[in-house]
Amino acid sequence: MYQHLECIALRTVKVSDSKSLLSAWTRQLGRVSFSIPAGAGREARRRRALCSPLATFFGECDVKPGREIHSLRDVRAGAMSLAVAASPAKSIIAIFLSEVLDLLLRRSEPDEALSDFLFSSIEAFAAITDNSCTASFHIIFLYHLTHYAGIGPNAGTYTPGYVFDLREGLFRTTTPLHPDFIAGEECSHFASLASARYDTPLHIPGPIRRRLLDFLLAYYSLHLMSFSSLKSLEILRDMA
């Protein structure tokens, strides 16, 4: 029996002249792999467009126990997902975040709260029209994603002059005896991410924005996994 799925495209790898393997997050099943056409035909091109990085889409899937790779039919684009692919700046951010999620959600089961966060965030991303909001989206997204990954910082204890201990995940009055911490103006901006909204500009200088990204990636690396293999990171840094 075919099951209706609501999906987020993460990563596509060509495995033959006619087939590609699409990794996706689904609201109903969690992480799933799909076999999709990879040729030059009209249907293959249409599916590739619908399944670009971070695109949301719907499809029907014949889910069978024990099967690792599934097939899709009746694939349809999600609301506003094509708005991301149409923007060069948003496309770069989408490629980067899809890489992050592809690594982070490698063995995940269905998670209603996480799915709500991911789908609502992508919808908000597609709706952004302010370039300043676009430039900060991935930083706000990565910060809030920490809570769904089980490593959310203890933001309620911040006071001006405090430093953030990346290893302990909390703000403290004194500098720790290791190099993994955020201090000064950068710490103040990091604390502001707790209340940041996607549709409100952060007004953070480019160099500090790039440093906040580095801090967030270091935070994930300390608590979950290394993101050193991200291929799109340097392109994203050049854009910031």
Side-chain angles (χ1 to χ4, degrees), residues 131-150:
N131 290 336
S132 297
C133 293
T134 297
S136 300
F137 175 84
H138 57 292
I139 297 173
I140 300 173
F141 177 90
L142 287 176
Y143 181 91
H144 289 301
L145 181 62
T146 61
H147 295 282
Y148 299 92

Side-chain angles (χ1 to χ4, degrees), residues 69-206:
I69 300 175
H70 305 275
S71 59
L72 276 173
R73 71 178 188 182
D74 299 332
V75 180
R76 307 178 306 282
M80 301 182 71
S81 65
L82 297 180
V84 173
S87 166
K90 287 183 179 181
S91 293
I92 293 172
I93 293 173
I95 291 171
F96 168 74
L97 290 179
S98 66
E99 273 197 275
V100 170
L101 291 173
D102 182 57
L103 290 172
L104 194 61
L105 305 178
R106 189 59 58 90
R107 296 179 180 176
S108 297
E109 299 297 322
D111 185 319
E112 183 177 357
L114 173 61
S115 291
D116 287 343
F117 168 73
L118 293 176
F119 281 100
S120 64
S121 293
I122 294 172
E123 183 177 355
F125 187 39
I128 290 174
T129 58
D130 188 311
N131 290 336
S132 297
C133 293
T134 297
S136 300
F137 175 84
H138 57 292
I139 297 173
I140 300 173
F141 177 90
L142 287 176
Y143 181 91
H144 289 301
L145 181 62
T146 61
H147 295 282
Y148 299 92
I151 58 170
N154 183 2
T157 59
Y158 175 73
T159 298
Y162 277 32
V163 300
F164 183 75
D165 188 325
L166 290 164
R167 294 188 185 182
E168 297 297 328
L170 50 80
F171 292 95
R172 51 187 297 171
T173 58
T174 58
T175 302
L177 298 176
H178 57 74
D180 300 316
F181 65 90
I182 313 174
E185 184 181 5
E186 293 171 341
C187 188
S188 174
H189 285 299
F190 182 80
S192 72
L193 296 178
S195 59
R197 294 170 50 92
Y198 295 137
D199 58 356
T200 304
L202 286 180
H203 301 299
I204 297 176

